[in-house]
Amino acid sequence: AQLAKTNTPSVMELSGEDAVLILPDADLDLVARALRFGTRLNAGQTCIAPRRVITVGNASCVPCVPCVISNAPDADAAIALINSADFALGCSIFTRDIAKARALAAQIKTGFVLINDLIVPTADPRMPFGGVKASGFGTTRGDEGLLEVTFPHVVALRRGRMHPHFDEPGENDARLFSAYIRAAHGRRRFSAIRELIGALIDKTRSKKP
């Protein structure tokens, strides 16, 4: 409300409810170490600490951690479960199949996705950081973070003497635009192009004194 009074833009990171997706082929020892680290770092008081663990199929050997643990029958169901959350800051995927992890990551609607890791990669200053949905808006760090504190300033120059948009609408304009749209996007383009040429000729003639 304070920012709105002066139209001041802002970047808001409003924490998360990060999910950890464990596929059947995941290195469970790595998963256990990662979850212990993620839930204990700063006593679990980090915006990107794991809050939900979602296993797929038989990957149910999860250490005792203070997270909500769910099981999904397949990867599609797991993705739907992840995307159903109101908060969408980050997510982690654990699997040995990196190609599959990348494909799944493209379907996850969070600010970032980590593969076979938790939390730490997001500290890389080259990596844009930010969430979506209830987790906030805007980005810090990375090229995108720098662009957040800039604004575009556009200068346009019109060369030549033609300014057809200044002219009053003419009777032939509707025909001209209709022919152009059909020539550019229609099926019977040849006939539309002929009509477009005719409309352009008529437009030119109508402008002569």
Side-chain angles (χ1 to χ4, degrees):
Q2 291 175 337
L3 295 171
K5 293 176 183 177
T6 55
N7 283 339
T8 302
S10 63
V11 174
M12 292 194 177
E13 190 276 283
L14 304 175
S15 198
E17 195 177 272
D18 288 12
V20 176
L21 174 57
I22 305 173
L23 297 182
D25 67 338
D27 180 341
L28 295 182
D29 179 63
L30 176 64
V31 171
R33 291 167 56 206
L35 288 175
R36 281 195 294 267
F37 163 74
T39 54
R40 294 177 183 177
L41 179 66
N42 197 37
Q45 301 303 307
T46 64
C47 59
I48 50 178
R51 306 294 182 194
R52 299 180 295 151
V53 174
I54 301 171
T55 63
V56 175
N58 60 1
S60 57
C61 185
V62 177
C64 183
V65 290
C67 298
V68 176
I69 300 176
S70 305
N71 182 261
D74 53 44
D76 289 338
I79 297 298
L81 191 59
I82 293 170
N83 289 338
S84 68
D86 292 332
F87 289 89
L89 185 55
C91 176
S92 292
I93 301 174
F94 283 86
T95 177
R96 290 181 170 87
D97 189 338
I98 304 304
K100 183 174 183 179
R102 289 183 179 275
L104 293 175
Q107 303 175 53
I108 296 175
K109 297 179 176 64
T110 57
F112 60 87
V113 178
L114 306 179
I115 299 174
N116 290 330
D117 207 343
L118 283 176
I119 301 175
V120 173
T122 59
D124 187 333
R126 299 168 298 179
M127 183 175 179
F129 182 81
V132 294
K133 297 198 285 189
S135 287
F137 50 83
T139 306
T140 61
R141 303 202 305 260
D143 292 344
E144 292 81 357
L146 292 175
L147 291 174
E148 286 282 359
V149 294
T150 67
F151 66 91
H153 179 63
V154 180
V155 177
L157 171 63
R158 180 79 175 197
R159 296 186 181 277
R161 298 180 58 85
M162 290 187 61
H163 295 83
H165 47 293
F166 292 165
D167 298 338
E168 291 293 329
E171 296 180 358
N172 192 53
D173 290 347
R175 177 188 168 208
L176 179 65
F177 279 102
S178 174
Y180 169 75
I181 291 171
R182 285 184 287 111
H185 306 289
R187 293 181 179 177
R188 300 180 63 182
R189 295 187 178 182
F190 182 73
S191 61
I193 290 172
R194 286 192 303 176
E195 186 175 347
L196 176 60
I197 294 171
L200 285 170
I201 292 172
D202 291 344
K203 178 74 172 177
T204 304
R205 288 174 177 171
S206 67
K207 292 183 65 176
K208 291 182 180 180

